[in-house]
């Protein structure tokens, strides 16, 4: 059964922002939505294997910094070319001032 893993403090990610989180040899992206929720996806763009944490977050969309492809970080859905493969998503939540992510 997957466990909740402590990824970072809630205040480490501004609203409508993203941060890189490395765990277990993998890279993830953790997002703080405009409504205060937290989300987690794979950290690399599915188009050119670029770190998404360097991208622009607007509302519920992450834009890849290399070719401007976009994903809905809540669902992982590819939203704008050149990306056409969805991101994998992982449950995330805030609890006790920490962001917890369920991977595995």
């Amino acid at each position: 059964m997957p466990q909740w893993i402590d990824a970072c403090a809630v205040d480490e990610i501004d609203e409508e922002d993203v941060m890189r989180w490395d765990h277990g040899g993998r890279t993830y992206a953790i997002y703080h939505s405009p409504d205060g929720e937290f989300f987690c996806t794979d950290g690399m763009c599915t188009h050119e294997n670029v770190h998404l944490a360097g991208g622009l977050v607007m509302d519920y969309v992450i834009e890849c910094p290399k070719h401007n492809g976009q994903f809905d970080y809540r669902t992982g859905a590819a939203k704008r070319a050149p990306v056409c493969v969805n991101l994998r998503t992982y449950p995330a939540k805030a609890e006790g001032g920490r962001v917890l992510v369920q991977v595995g």
Side-chain angles (χ1 to χ4, degrees):
M1 182 164 179
Q3 294 182 323
W4 289 101
I5 300 165
D6 187 328
C8 64
V10 166
D11 61 6
E12 286 183 63
I13 311 172
D14 292 331
E15 255 184 40
E16 290 195 273
D17 206 359
V18 58
M19 75 172 277
R20 179 179 171 168
W21 177 58
D22 296 315
H23 175 76
R26 297 198 56 191
T27 297
Y28 301 90
I30 301 174
Y31 310 86
H32 190 170
S33 74
D35 60 7
E37 290 185 273
F38 290 87
F39 295 87
C40 183
T41 68
D42 281 333
M44 306 301 282
C45 180
T46 59
H47 174 245
E48 287 257 344
N49 215 27
V50 173
H51 293 282
L52 290 172
L56 177 65
V57 177
M58 297 171 291
D59 296 320
Y60 301 97
V61 172
I62 177 70
E63 184 175 272
C64 177
K66 188 163 186 178
H67 293 119
N68 301 14
Q70 295 181 345
F71 300 92
D72 182 326
Y73 61 74
R74 298 170 296 179
T75 64
K79 302 299 274 180
R80 182 168 80 188
V83 298
C84 57
V85 176
N86 296 341
L87 289 171
R88 187 168 175 197
T89 62
Y90 306 89
K93 65 180 179 179
E95 187 172 281
R98 304 295 297 174
V99 176
L100 307 177
V101 177
Q102 201 174 62
V103 297

